[in-house]
Amino acid sequence: MICVNIKAERFEVLDSLRHKDFEKTYKSMAERVVQYAINYMKTQFADRTVRWERFSWFKLEKVTQPDQISCGMYVIRWMRHWEGKYNSALTKDWKRIDLINEERECLMLDIILDEENLERERIMKEATKYCNMKNKKKELKGRK
């Protein structure tokens, strides 16, 4: 995730995989993304003068994920808690896969159960059918 921190005059890279080759491999891509953001901000905030050439790059080094598949969960957590500086909410117990999976399950339930989810009722019916089927299988196993 790249944050444009106008107050601190820097582009903040939050990379939980801690790519060692960021400069060589990813920085040019990140610079293109940042340029799109700058162009957009110039159209939206034309009256504000920001001296983009003064901005530096900042890479957060304190957060690493324990696996290769949880980067999306880290990005979501950073979007909730990043304030332009390191804080403990970003890393609190996030080395534990069970807590990452718990957060993943909570996010999934939030999406499924949201009133705006047009598929909510259908999913709930399917989940109920699945649970009923699973319970019947358990009952049949118990009778044997």
Side-chain angles (χ1 to χ4, degrees), residues 73 76 80 103-120 123:
M73 297 307 300
I76 290 167
R80 287 185 189 149
E103 183 83 8
R104 189 177 274 123
E105 290 167 5
C106 289
L107 178 63
M108 177 190 66
L109 287 172
D110 285 346
I111 292 168
I112 290 171
L113 298 176
D114 190 275
E115 291 175 5
E116 299 297 319
N117 181 359
L118 300 176
E119 297 293 319
R120 178 180 177 208
I123 293 170

PDB file of all heavy atoms in Angstrom, residues 73 76 80 103-120 123:
ATOM      1  N   MET A  73      -4.962  -8.803   4.019  1.00  0.00           N
ATOM      2  CA  MET A  73      -5.437  -8.521   5.377  1.00  0.00           C
ATOM      3  C   MET A  73      -4.593  -7.422   6.018  1.00  0.00           C
ATOM      4  O   MET A  73      -5.110  -6.585   6.746  1.00  0.00           O
ATOM      5  CB  MET A  73      -5.410  -9.794   6.232  1.00  0.00           C
ATOM      6  CG  MET A  73      -6.344 -10.888   5.729  1.00  0.00           C
ATOM      7  SD  MET A  73      -8.054 -10.343   5.476  1.00  0.00           S
ATOM      8  CE  MET A  73      -8.526  -9.792   7.090  1.00  0.00           C
ATOM      9  N   ILE A  76      -5.724  -4.070   4.546  1.00  0.00           N
ATOM     10  CA  ILE A  76      -6.991  -3.642   5.155  1.00  0.00           C
ATOM     11  C   ILE A  76      -6.735  -3.085   6.549  1.00  0.00           C
ATOM     12  O   ILE A  76      -7.261  -2.033   6.920  1.00  0.00           O
ATOM     13  CB  ILE A  76      -7.997  -4.809   5.189  1.00  0.00           C
ATOM     14  CG1 ILE A  76      -8.459  -5.125   3.761  1.00  0.00           C
ATOM     15  CG2 ILE A  76      -9.184  -4.483   6.099  1.00  0.00           C
ATOM     16  CD1 ILE A  76      -9.210  -6.436   3.638  1.00  0.00           C
ATOM     17  N   ARG A  80      -7.161   0.918   8.033  1.00  0.00           N
ATOM     18  CA  ARG A  80      -7.915   1.283   9.242  1.00  0.00           C
ATOM     19  C   ARG A  80      -7.087   2.087  10.229  1.00  0.00           C
ATOM     20  O   ARG A  80      -7.612   2.933  10.943  1.00  0.00           O
ATOM     21  CB  ARG A  80      -8.411   0.017   9.951  1.00  0.00           C
ATOM     22  CG  ARG A  80      -9.520  -0.682   9.267  1.00  0.00           C
ATOM     23  CD  ARG A  80      -9.996  -1.823  10.131  1.00  0.00           C
ATOM     24  NE  ARG A  80     -10.929  -2.665   9.408  1.00  0.00           N
ATOM     25  CZ  ARG A  80     -11.060  -3.957   9.601  1.00  0.00           C
ATOM     26  NH1 ARG A  80     -10.339  -4.578  10.503  1.00  0.00           N
ATOM     27  NH2 ARG A  80     -11.925  -4.647   8.904  1.00  0.00           N
ATOM     28  N   GLU A 103      -9.469 -12.497  11.827  1.00  0.00           N
ATOM     29  CA  GLU A 103      -9.780 -11.216  11.181  1.00  0.00           C
ATOM     30  C   GLU A 103     -10.378 -11.446   9.791  1.00  0.00           C
ATOM     31  O   GLU A 103     -11.326 -10.789   9.382  1.00  0.00           O
ATOM     32  CB  GLU A 103      -8.505 -10.375  11.078  1.00  0.00           C
ATOM     33  CG  GLU A 103      -8.712  -9.012  10.485  1.00  0.00           C
ATOM     34  CD  GLU A 103      -9.184  -7.976  11.484  1.00  0.00           C
ATOM     35  OE1 GLU A 103      -9.217  -8.254  12.689  1.00  0.00           O
ATOM     36  OE2 GLU A 103      -9.528  -6.877  11.028  1.00  0.00           O
ATOM     37  N   ARG A 104      -9.835 -12.415   9.063  1.00  0.00           N
ATOM     38  CA  ARG A 104     -10.324 -12.774   7.733  1.00  0.00           C
ATOM     39  C   ARG A 104     -11.784 -13.245   7.824  1.00  0.00           C
ATOM     40  O   ARG A 104     -12.625 -12.845   7.022  1.00  0.00           O
ATOM     41  CB  ARG A 104      -9.424 -13.870   7.161  1.00  0.00           C
ATOM     42  CG  ARG A 104      -9.642 -14.205   5.738  1.00  0.00           C
ATOM     43  CD  ARG A 104      -8.631 -15.257   5.264  1.00  0.00           C
ATOM     44  NE  ARG A 104      -7.405 -14.621   4.821  1.00  0.00           N
ATOM     45  CZ  ARG A 104      -6.189 -14.872   5.304  1.00  0.00           C
ATOM     46  NH1 ARG A 104      -6.008 -15.770   6.232  1.00  0.00           N
ATOM     47  NH2 ARG A 104      -5.141 -14.229   4.838  1.00  0.00           N
ATOM     48  N   GLU A 105     -12.087 -14.086   8.808  1.00  0.00           N
ATOM     49  CA  GLU A 105     -13.454 -14.588   8.991  1.00  0.00           C
ATOM     50  C   GLU A 105     -14.416 -13.456   9.353  1.00  0.00           C
ATOM     51  O   GLU A 105     -15.537 -13.406   8.848  1.00  0.00           O
ATOM     52  CB  GLU A 105     -13.477 -15.668  10.074  1.00  0.00           C
ATOM     53  CG  GLU A 105     -12.803 -16.954   9.656  1.00  0.00           C
ATOM     54  CD  GLU A 105     -12.552 -17.900  10.820  1.00  0.00           C
ATOM     55  OE1 GLU A 105     -12.987 -17.604  11.969  1.00  0.00           O
ATOM     56  OE2 GLU A 105     -11.909 -18.936  10.593  1.00  0.00           O
ATOM     57  N   CYS A 106     -13.975 -12.557  10.222  1.00  0.00           N
ATOM     58  CA  CYS A 106     -14.820 -11.423  10.605  1.00  0.00           C
ATOM     59  C   CYS A 106     -15.123 -10.530   9.402  1.00  0.00           C
ATOM     60  O   CYS A 106     -16.265 -10.090   9.222  1.00  0.00           O
ATOM     61  CB  CYS A 106     -14.161 -10.603  11.713  1.00  0.00           C
ATOM     62  SG  CYS A 106     -14.128 -11.437  13.301  1.00  0.00           S
ATOM     63  N   LEU A 107     -14.122 -10.286   8.578  1.00  0.00           N
ATOM     64  CA  LEU A 107     -14.314  -9.475   7.382  1.00  0.00           C
ATOM     65  C   LEU A 107     -15.308 -10.152   6.443  1.00  0.00           C
ATOM     66  O   LEU A 107     -16.223  -9.512   5.915  1.00  0.00           O
ATOM     67  CB  LEU A 107     -12.983  -9.240   6.681  1.00  0.00           C
ATOM     68  CG  LEU A 107     -13.039  -8.454   5.383  1.00  0.00           C
ATOM     69  CD1 LEU A 107     -13.552  -7.037   5.626  1.00  0.00           C
ATOM     70  CD2 LEU A 107     -11.674  -8.422   4.726  1.00  0.00           C
ATOM     71  N   MET A 108     -15.149 -11.456   6.249  1.00  0.00           N
ATOM     72  CA  MET A 108     -16.058 -12.211   5.382  1.00  0.00           C
ATOM     73  C   MET A 108     -17.495 -12.114   5.899  1.00  0.00           C
ATOM     74  O   MET A 108     -18.428 -11.850   5.138  1.00  0.00           O
ATOM     75  CB  MET A 108     -15.627 -13.670   5.319  1.00  0.00           C
ATOM     76  CG  MET A 108     -16.543 -14.559   4.508  1.00  0.00           C
ATOM     77  SD  MET A 108     -16.162 -16.312   4.689  1.00  0.00           S
ATOM     78  CE  MET A 108     -16.566 -16.585   6.408  1.00  0.00           C
ATOM     79  N   LEU A 109     -17.674 -12.283   7.208  1.00  0.00           N
ATOM     80  CA  LEU A 109     -19.021 -12.187   7.782  1.00  0.00           C
ATOM     81  C   LEU A 109     -19.590 -10.778   7.656  1.00  0.00           C
ATOM     82  O   LEU A 109     -20.779 -10.613   7.385  1.00  0.00           O
ATOM     83  CB  LEU A 109     -19.007 -12.638   9.243  1.00  0.00           C
ATOM     84  CG  LEU A 109     -18.849 -14.136   9.448  1.00  0.00           C
ATOM     85  CD1 LEU A 109     -18.639 -14.453  10.922  1.00  0.00           C
ATOM     86  CD2 LEU A 109     -20.033 -14.899   8.889  1.00  0.00           C
ATOM     87  N   ASP A 110     -18.750  -9.767   7.851  1.00  0.00           N
ATOM     88  CA  ASP A 110     -19.207  -8.383   7.673  1.00  0.00           C
ATOM     89  C   ASP A 110     -19.744  -8.169   6.266  1.00  0.00           C
ATOM     90  O   ASP A 110     -20.772  -7.523   6.072  1.00  0.00           O
ATOM     91  CB  ASP A 110     -18.068  -7.389   7.933  1.00  0.00           C
ATOM     92  CG  ASP A 110     -17.747  -7.234   9.405  1.00  0.00           C
ATOM     93  OD1 ASP A 110     -18.544  -7.670  10.250  1.00  0.00           O
ATOM     94  OD2 ASP A 110     -16.678  -6.656   9.701  1.00  0.00           O
ATOM     95  N   ILE A 111     -19.039  -8.705   5.282  1.00  0.00           N
ATOM     96  CA  ILE A 111     -19.465  -8.537   3.893  1.00  0.00           C
ATOM     97  C   ILE A 111     -20.751  -9.309   3.632  1.00  0.00           C
ATOM     98  O   ILE A 111     -21.705  -8.779   3.066  1.00  0.00           O
ATOM     99  CB  ILE A 111     -18.344  -8.986   2.926  1.00  0.00           C
ATOM    100  CG1 ILE A 111     -17.157  -8.022   3.016  1.00  0.00           C
ATOM    101  CG2 ILE A 111     -18.866  -9.075   1.488  1.00  0.00           C
ATOM    102  CD1 ILE A 111     -15.905  -8.527   2.332  1.00  0.00           C
ATOM    103  N   ILE A 112     -20.784 -10.555   4.063  1.00  0.00           N
ATOM    104  CA  ILE A 112     -21.958 -11.399   3.798  1.00  0.00           C
ATOM    105  C   ILE A 112     -23.201 -10.861   4.498  1.00  0.00           C
ATOM    106  O   ILE A 112     -24.284 -10.813   3.913  1.00  0.00           O
ATOM    107  CB  ILE A 112     -21.693 -12.860   4.226  1.00  0.00           C
ATOM    108  CG1 ILE A 112     -20.677 -13.487   3.272  1.00  0.00           C
ATOM    109  CG2 ILE A 112     -22.989 -13.671   4.248  1.00  0.00           C
ATOM    110  CD1 ILE A 112     -20.187 -14.846   3.711  1.00  0.00           C
ATOM    111  N   LEU A 113     -23.058 -10.438   5.739  1.00  0.00           N
ATOM    112  CA  LEU A 113     -24.219 -10.036   6.534  1.00  0.00           C
ATOM    113  C   LEU A 113     -24.634  -8.582   6.352  1.00  0.00           C
ATOM    114  O   LEU A 113     -25.655  -8.164   6.887  1.00  0.00           O
ATOM    115  CB  LEU A 113     -23.956 -10.321   8.020  1.00  0.00           C
ATOM    116  CG  LEU A 113     -23.729 -11.796   8.363  1.00  0.00           C
ATOM    117  CD1 LEU A 113     -23.378 -11.952   9.828  1.00  0.00           C
ATOM    118  CD2 LEU A 113     -24.944 -12.643   8.006  1.00  0.00           C
ATOM    119  N   ASP A 114     -23.856  -7.817   5.601  1.00  0.00           N
ATOM    120  CA  ASP A 114     -24.196  -6.416   5.391  1.00  0.00           C
ATOM    121  C   ASP A 114     -25.552  -6.285   4.699  1.00  0.00           C
ATOM    122  O   ASP A 114     -25.862  -7.024   3.762  1.00  0.00           O
ATOM    123  CB  ASP A 114     -23.116  -5.745   4.542  1.00  0.00           C
ATOM    124  CG  ASP A 114     -23.301  -4.240   4.508  1.00  0.00           C
ATOM    125  OD1 ASP A 114     -24.100  -3.773   3.662  1.00  0.00           O
ATOM    126  OD2 ASP A 114     -22.670  -3.548   5.316  1.00  0.00           O
ATOM    127  N   GLU A 115     -26.363  -5.356   5.168  1.00  0.00           N
ATOM    128  CA  GLU A 115     -27.702  -5.152   4.605  1.00  0.00           C
ATOM    129  C   GLU A 115     -27.670  -4.796   3.125  1.00  0.00           C
ATOM    130  O   GLU A 115     -28.626  -5.048   2.398  1.00  0.00           O
ATOM    131  CB  GLU A 115     -28.430  -4.052   5.383  1.00  0.00           C
ATOM    132  CG  GLU A 115     -28.787  -4.449   6.789  1.00  0.00           C
ATOM    133  CD  GLU A 115     -29.406  -3.308   7.574  1.00  0.00           C
ATOM    134  OE1 GLU A 115     -29.641  -2.223   6.992  1.00  0.00           O
ATOM    135  OE2 GLU A 115     -29.658  -3.491   8.769  1.00  0.00           O
ATOM    136  N   GLU A 116     -26.581  -4.188   2.668  1.00  0.00           N
ATOM    137  CA  GLU A 116     -26.454  -3.787   1.267  1.00  0.00           C
ATOM    138  C   GLU A 116     -26.061  -4.947   0.347  1.00  0.00           C
ATOM    139  O   GLU A 116     -26.088  -4.797  -0.874  1.00  0.00           O
ATOM    140  CB  GLU A 116     -25.421  -2.662   1.134  1.00  0.00           C
ATOM    141  CG  GLU A 116     -25.786  -1.402   1.899  1.00  0.00           C
ATOM    142  CD  GLU A 116     -27.063  -0.750   1.391  1.00  0.00           C
ATOM    143  OE1 GLU A 116     -27.248  -0.692   0.160  1.00  0.00           O
ATOM    144  OE2 GLU A 116     -27.857  -0.308   2.232  1.00  0.00           O
ATOM    145  N   ASN A 117     -25.690  -6.076   0.921  1.00  0.00           N
ATOM    146  CA  ASN A 117     -25.295  -7.229   0.111  1.00  0.00           C
ATOM    147  C   ASN A 117     -26.533  -7.816  -0.567  1.00  0.00           C
ATOM    148  O   ASN A 117     -27.403  -8.383   0.081  1.00  0.00           O
ATOM    149  CB  ASN A 117     -24.607  -8.280   0.982  1.00  0.00           C
ATOM    150  CG  ASN A 117     -24.158  -9.493   0.201  1.00  0.00           C
ATOM    151  OD1 ASN A 117     -24.357  -9.588  -1.007  1.00  0.00           O
ATOM    152  ND2 ASN A 117     -23.548 -10.438   0.904  1.00  0.00           N
ATOM    153  N   LEU A 118     -26.599  -7.709  -1.864  1.00  0.00           N
ATOM    154  CA  LEU A 118     -27.757  -8.184  -2.620  1.00  0.00           C
ATOM    155  C   LEU A 118     -27.884  -9.708  -2.602  1.00  0.00           C
ATOM    156  O   LEU A 118     -28.956 -10.236  -2.867  1.00  0.00           O
ATOM    157  CB  LEU A 118     -27.683  -7.685  -4.072  1.00  0.00           C
ATOM    158  CG  LEU A 118     -27.657  -6.164  -4.245  1.00  0.00           C
ATOM    159  CD1 LEU A 118     -27.475  -5.804  -5.717  1.00  0.00           C
ATOM    160  CD2 LEU A 118     -28.905  -5.523  -3.670  1.00  0.00           C
ATOM    161  N   GLU A 119     -26.807 -10.393  -2.292  1.00  0.00           N
ATOM    162  CA  GLU A 119     -26.814 -11.858  -2.249  1.00  0.00           C
ATOM    163  C   GLU A 119     -27.000 -12.404  -0.832  1.00  0.00           C
ATOM    164  O   GLU A 119     -26.967 -13.612  -0.620  1.00  0.00           O
ATOM    165  CB  GLU A 119     -25.502 -12.397  -2.835  1.00  0.00           C
ATOM    166  CG  GLU A 119     -25.306 -12.057  -4.291  1.00  0.00           C
ATOM    167  CD  GLU A 119     -26.319 -12.756  -5.176  1.00  0.00           C
ATOM    168  OE1 GLU A 119     -26.619 -13.942  -4.934  1.00  0.00           O
ATOM    169  OE2 GLU A 119     -26.834 -12.103  -6.102  1.00  0.00           O
ATOM    170  N   ARG A 120     -27.208 -11.528   0.121  1.00  0.00           N
ATOM    171  CA  ARG A 120     -27.258 -11.928   1.528  1.00  0.00           C
ATOM    172  C   ARG A 120     -28.287 -13.031   1.799  1.00  0.00           C
ATOM    173  O   ARG A 120     -27.963 -14.056   2.403  1.00  0.00           O
ATOM    174  CB  ARG A 120     -27.573 -10.698   2.385  1.00  0.00           C
ATOM    175  CG  ARG A 120     -27.685 -11.003   3.846  1.00  0.00           C
ATOM    176  CD  ARG A 120     -27.982  -9.765   4.628  1.00  0.00           C
ATOM    177  NE  ARG A 120     -28.160 -10.131   6.017  1.00  0.00           N
ATOM    178  CZ  ARG A 120     -28.892  -9.482   6.863  1.00  0.00           C
ATOM    179  NH1 ARG A 120     -29.514  -8.383   6.490  1.00  0.00           N
ATOM    180  NH2 ARG A 120     -28.997  -9.874   8.099  1.00  0.00           N
ATOM    181  N   ILE A 123     -27.341 -16.408   0.214  1.00  0.00           N
ATOM    182  CA  ILE A 123     -26.216 -17.022   0.918  1.00  0.00           C
ATOM    183  C   ILE A 123     -26.666 -17.584   2.258  1.00  0.00           C
ATOM    184  O   ILE A 123     -26.263 -18.688   2.646  1.00  0.00           O
ATOM    185  CB  ILE A 123     -25.064 -16.001   1.100  1.00  0.00           C
ATOM    186  CG1 ILE A 123     -24.459 -15.650  -0.262  1.00  0.00           C
ATOM    187  CG2 ILE A 123     -23.995 -16.532   2.041  1.00  0.00           C
ATOM    188  CD1 ILE A 123     -23.493 -14.486  -0.229  1.00  0.00           C
TER     189      ILE A 123
END
